[in-house]
């Protein structure tokens, strides 16, 4: 029988898919995180938004979600897939290397934040049992939002992932501990906690051993069929079985999903699995974010805005300070510690679970749980904004630490802007020929690594005019631009050429058209990065195909001359652009013999 639009599940699914189809490309077009878009959509189409007007305007039923609980299973599955994908990016070796950060800094962050928040709430009149429950709930941070924003490989991502991983592991013990603290609980509550720990440990070990034996054979069979559908089905089966196993043992299903990802990451099939499950993860995560948006009731926020603002600010401030101090103790840089602290400041989606458990155990009143649920929803909503604020603060801190101009011993030095793979190679060649230089780079991690290796590099963004003034370009011998930003490069050339008319400016160009634009802007020489690599690739192909070396070299020179003429014509140059290739030793020898 056909499913009609009156079916609530079908209608809600269409709304979600439509939202995903609009949010992701629209926000990507304006370079805004789709996280914010999904949350705003949830606020718009949820019961607290247009969904609450269905009785007055029935046609809104087809564009709204009236029952947010109906899509919660999809949201939970999205979090499971997220942890699974994180596991795919890791390995047991890397996890073991992070053990001190996970069980040291991670444990200290959770316990320290919980104690401070709980103590503050107790001073405000909350009983001790309720303060502990609320402290543990609000100390949790959002895995589903934080990791997609920063990943797991950056300096911020590594610290955040370690703390989030400990929180995910500690979630079930927290829930059991709150149940054991209930006024009606008996000693069986603590015995149950010990039983869960034992069963969970046995389950994890069994899954590890079984996975190392079974998974390579399972995916090998799926790969032999050359059926993408079967490969995808095997991947989802592993996730579901692992999540069910840990749930049956009393642990969280996300622990099983993470373990499944780690096990597959040890096989040669992890890349294929990651590619196939990525679309499902993104869509399911979008569903979760929509549910977060639907939990935000604007009318409630307006009525209690002062107390809610103070509560959100207090929670974020305490967690950010605790995280910052602990990461500084762990030798993290000031900027990294500050950015991670703000990113971890808001509560988590699991906070809602712990709040419900505390209310059910009669540790807090239902009205208190509802208030902090609203705080949690607001915190989740502002997480992307906290991430942007953290990035800005980190850059300012690192600018103060690294913006001093290194002394190269020569005031008339060459200035290299951009210190990626191209800039570093240029710097190496300048060093070989004893030419002093100073390099400028906008990525602080690159600056720190380069300085550690002994390169004279300063941190700075050349898009800001003040930095260009500090470089003292009138005294420079030459300026080399290696940034991979065509628009910024052209703008910078025009500005510097107007300031220093006689300064030699050599710029990296993407292609012939970009080179011509750079010549019009005023560079001395523009070097298209794709030109010589394409010619050399063509030469290698023709020689390997058996074409004689002489005609190949002749055609390469002819093509280079043609490209040089194209650039000269488009740039309206009165001279030929300097596009050359240093001849191989064999060619030079052949030429000398010919003469």
């Amino acid at each position: 029988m056909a499913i009609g639009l009156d079916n609530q599940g079908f209608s809600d699914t269409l709304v979600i898919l439509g939202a995903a189809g609009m949010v992701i490309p629209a926000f990507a077009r304006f370079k805004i995180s789709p996280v914010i878009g999904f949350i705003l959509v949830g606020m718009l189409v949820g019961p607290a938004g247009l969904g609450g007007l269905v009785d007055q305007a029935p046609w809104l039923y087809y564009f709204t979600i009236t029952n947010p609980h109906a899509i919660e299973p999809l949201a939970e599955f999205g979090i499971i897939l997220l942890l699974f994908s994180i596991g795919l990016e890791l390995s047991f070796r890397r996890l073991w290397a992070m053990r001190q950060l996970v069980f040291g800094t991670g444990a200290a962050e959770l316990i320290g934040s919980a104690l401070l928040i709980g103590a503050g709430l107790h001073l405000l009149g909350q009983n001790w049992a309720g303060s502990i429950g609320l402290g543990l709930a609000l100390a949790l941070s959002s895995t589903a939002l934080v990791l997609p924003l920063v990943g797991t490989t950056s300096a911020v991502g590594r610290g955040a992932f370690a703390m989030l991983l400990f929180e995910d592991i500690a979630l079930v013990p927290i829930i059991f501990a709150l149940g054991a603290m209930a006024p009606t609980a008996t000693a069986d509550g603590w015995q149950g906690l010990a039983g869960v720990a034992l069963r969970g440990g046995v389950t994890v070990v069994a899954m590890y051993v079984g996975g190392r034996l079974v998974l390579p054979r399972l995916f090998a069979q799926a790969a032999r069929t050359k059926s993408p559908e079967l490969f995808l089905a095997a991947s989802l089966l592993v996730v579901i079985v692992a999540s069910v196993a840990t749930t049956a043992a009393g642990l969280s299903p996300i622990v099983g999903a993470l373990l499944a990802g780690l096990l597959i990451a040890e096989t040669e099939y992890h890349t294929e699995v990651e590619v196939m499950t990525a679309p499902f993860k993104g869509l399911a995560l979008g569903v979760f974010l929509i549910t977060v948006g639907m939990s935000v009731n604007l009318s409630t926020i307006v009525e209690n805005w002062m107390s809610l603002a103070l509560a959100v600010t207090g929670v974020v401030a305490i967690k950010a300070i605790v995280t910052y101090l602990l990461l500084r103790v762990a030798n993290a840089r000031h900027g990294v510690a500050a950015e991670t602290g703000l990113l971890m400041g808001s509560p988590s989606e699991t906070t809602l679970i712990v709040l419900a458990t505390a209310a059910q155990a009669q540790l807090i009143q239902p009205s208190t749980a509802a208030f902090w649920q609203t705080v949690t929803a607001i915190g989740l909503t502002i997480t992307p904004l906290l991430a942007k604020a953290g990035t800005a603060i980190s850059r300012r801190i690192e600018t103060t630490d690294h913006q001093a101009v290194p002394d190269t011993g020569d005031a008339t030095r060459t200035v290299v802007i951009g210190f990626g793979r191209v800039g570093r190679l240029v710097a190496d060649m300048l060093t070989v020929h004893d030419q002093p230089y100073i390099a400028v780079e906008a990525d602080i991690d690159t600056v720190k690594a380069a300085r550690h290796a002994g390169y004279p590099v300063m941190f700075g963004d050349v898009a800001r005019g003040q930095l260009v003034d500090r470089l003292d370009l009138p005294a420079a011998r030459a300026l080399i631009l290696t940034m991979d930003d065509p628009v910024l490069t052209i703008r910078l050339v025009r500005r510097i050429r107007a300031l220093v008319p006689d300064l030699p400016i050599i710029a990296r160009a993407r292609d012939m058209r970009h080179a011509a634009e750079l010549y019009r802007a005023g560079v001395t020489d523009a070097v298209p990065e794709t030109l010589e690599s394409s010619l050399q690739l063509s030469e290698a192909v023709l020689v390997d195909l058996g074409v004689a070396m002489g005609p190949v070299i002749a055609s390469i020179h002819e093509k280079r001359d043609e490209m040089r003429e194209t650039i000269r014509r488009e740039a309206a140059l009165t001279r030929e652009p300097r596009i050359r290739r240093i001849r191989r030793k064999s060619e030079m020898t052949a030429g000398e013999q010919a003469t």
Side-chain angles (χ1 to χ4, degrees), residues 156 229 251 287 324 354 400 435 497 507 520 530-531 534 584:
V156 175
E229 294 80 7
L251 297 176
V287 176
Y324 172 82
V354 179
T400 303
Q435 299 297 314
R497 180 55 73 208
R520 287 196 294 269
T530 59
L531 192 152
S534 299
R584 294 195 186 105

Side-chain angles (χ1 to χ4, degrees), residues 121-283:
L121 292 173
H122 181 68
L123 293 176
L124 294 176
Q126 183 70 47
N127 61 70
W128 270 117
S131 297
I132 293 173
L134 289 172
L136 288 170
L138 297 170
L140 300 171
S141 301
S142 176
T143 301
L145 289 184
V146 170
L147 293 184
L149 290 172
V150 295
T152 61
T153 57
S154 65
V156 175
R158 286 192 297 271
F161 173 71
M163 290 180 280
L164 290 168
L165 180 58
F166 181 83
E167 292 178 3
D168 292 335
I169 295 172
L171 177 60
V172 172
I174 288 173
I175 293 174
F176 270 84
L178 294 181
M181 291 170 58
T184 57
T186 63
D188 294 338
W190 297 107
Q191 293 175 0
L193 181 60
V196 168
L198 178 61
R199 292 194 304 272
V202 172
T203 301
V204 169
V205 171
M207 289 175 59
Y208 175 77
V209 175
R212 296 297 293 266
L213 296 174
V214 174
L215 289 184
R217 294 176 174 82
L218 173 65
F219 283 105
Q221 286 296 113
R224 289 190 186 101
T225 64
K226 301 187 183 299
S227 171
E229 294 80 7
L230 184 59
F231 207 90
L232 177 60
S235 305
L236 295 178
L237 177 64
V238 171
V239 179
I240 293 171
V241 169
S243 300
V244 170
T246 53
T247 303
L251 297 176
S252 171
I254 61 179
V255 175
L258 179 65
L259 183 59
L262 285 168
L263 288 170
I264 295 178
E266 299 293 325
T267 70
E268 61 268 33
Y269 307 101
H270 69 278
T271 303
E272 187 71 13
V273 173
E274 186 176 359
V275 170
M276 287 192 171
T277 57
F280 296 92
K281 178 196 71 176
L283 180 60

Side-chain angles (χ1 to χ4, degrees), residues 94-105:
R94 182 183 172 194
L95 203 56
W96 178 253
M98 295 175 61
R99 63 189 184 279
Q100 293 183 344
L101 198 57
V102 174
F103 297 100
T105 306

Side-chain angles (χ1 to χ4, degrees), residues 530-539 556 559-560 563:
T530 59
L531 192 152
E532 285 299 333
S533 60
S534 299
L535 291 177
Q536 290 181 21
L537 179 62
S538 302
E539 179 181 330
I556 293 294
K559 190 65 177 177
R560 186 181 292 108
M563 292 178 171

